[in-house]
Amino acid sequence: MLLRFVVALLLVEAALIVGPALWISVTVRPLARSLRQPSRGPALRFGVDTFAFRNDSRIHHRGKPDLYANWCFVMARAVVQFQRFARFEPDAPRPTAAECAALVQRVTRRPAWRRPLPARQRIVIPGFASLHELTRAEEAAVKAGLRGRLWSLLHWTNWRIVFPQLRTHQPRVAAEVVAELQAGRPVQLLITDFPRIALNHSVLVFDYRASAPDTVDFLVYDPNDPTVPGVVRFDAARRRFRPAPLCGVDVPHFRAFRMYCSPVL
């Protein structure tokens, strides 16, 4: 009985994960066709709409006494949440640290896939002009307000990485990312080299460049390096993503999956 239940649960999970992806593949234009459309520019302002502090790497910052690691999923998602649900009022009086933490909790409690709120309904962040300014001035308070690190690592959609993927999967992901960017929406990705497990990371794509006929460079906000955009390159001929470059990532290639784009993905 238990075995049947486990098998049934895995089948339901696979259906929830694969089903929406197959539906999306029918509705999204092929990558080559999407790239013929003009780009509307970056979907966010790097260094303004992004965090000022970094997510530490347990490998590259080993021994650091105040290690802030394994927050990449939460931080990349929070950039989207602030973009959609918050507004900054720099001329208003600044809140206390405790109030900052509470405001961060309010913003990041909203599911990232929901539609952006109208300006009058957004959560007001007083005393700061941008997310970058807030996170530079109130790093400790923002970190105290962020929640859900463990759940982001154990999120049930992460099990997608163990399922076999069709050869069309990665080109479809690249095409979806381009389509979202052309609509002005940044895209969060889970990137992994499973089953080698040298890489399990999340970045936020905010712009792209067709650098060659079969190559697309996606510019990303990488929580591991808030100072400069990273580059995730998609090789259409080989149907794979690779770092070009990406902070601390030295694997030759990896797979990419969209994150927090719907209630089931």
Side-chain angles (χ1 to χ4, degrees), residues 49-236:
D49 302 321
T50 52
F51 280 72
F53 60 81
R54 74 184 182 203
N55 172 74
D56 293 325
S57 166
R58 292 193 181 277
I59 296 176
H60 297 95
H61 304 114
R62 186 179 289 112
K64 185 182 176 188
D66 56 343
L67 191 72
Y68 188 77
N70 301 124
W71 287 93
C72 56
F73 288 87
V74 175
M75 291 173 66
R77 184 181 65 209
V79 170
V80 176
Q81 291 165 316
F82 270 89
Q83 186 185 55
R84 294 189 173 198
F85 312 129
R87 62 183 173 90
F88 292 88
E89 292 190 355
D91 296 330
R94 286 194 172 186
T96 65
E99 290 170 337
C100 281
L103 287 169
V104 171
Q105 285 188 37
R106 286 182 59 195
V107 174
T108 57
R109 194 179 294 130
R110 299 185 66 89
W113 59 82
R114 289 186 179 174
R115 293 180 181 275
L117 290 174
R120 66 182 181 278
Q121 296 179 16
R122 293 187 174 217
I123 298 166
V124 175
I125 313 296
F128 300 96
S130 67
L131 180 60
H132 194 272
E133 184 178 318
L134 168 67
T135 55
R136 183 179 66 244
E138 294 287 351
E139 178 177 340
V142 172
K143 287 178 176 178
L146 292 175
R147 292 287 187 272
R149 178 180 67 170
L150 179 61
W151 175 241
S152 71
L153 296 174
L154 300 178
H155 197 276
W156 64 275
T157 60
N158 293 351
W159 287 99
R160 286 176 290 177
I161 68 175
V162 307
F163 292 110
Q165 299 294 330
L166 300 175
R167 284 177 53 82
T168 57
H169 179 259
Q170 294 296 271
R172 185 179 69 242
V173 171
E176 291 175 18
V177 173
V178 170
E180 288 294 296
L181 294 174
Q182 289 176 343
R185 296 184 290 265
V187 180
Q188 185 169 353
L189 294 178
L190 159 65
I191 57 176
T192 176
D193 68 338
F194 184 87
R196 285 172 289 191
I197 319 183
L199 175 67
N200 182 50
H201 189 40
S202 187
V203 297
L204 186 67
V205 187
F206 66 89
D207 202 0
Y208 72 94
R209 299 167 184 163
S211 57
D214 291 326
T215 304
V216 184
D217 284 346
F218 292 106
L219 277 65
V220 304
Y221 158 66
D222 180 357
N224 287 0
D225 187 357
T227 64
V228 63
V231 179
V232 170
R233 178 166 294 168
F234 180 69
D235 185 333

Side-chain angles (χ1 to χ4, degrees), residues 25 27-36 171-172 174-176 178:
S25 70
T27 60
V28 172
R29 290 175 300 195
L31 178 61
R33 182 180 172 190
S34 294
L35 291 175
R36 290 197 290 268
R172 185 179 69 242
E176 291 175 18
V178 170

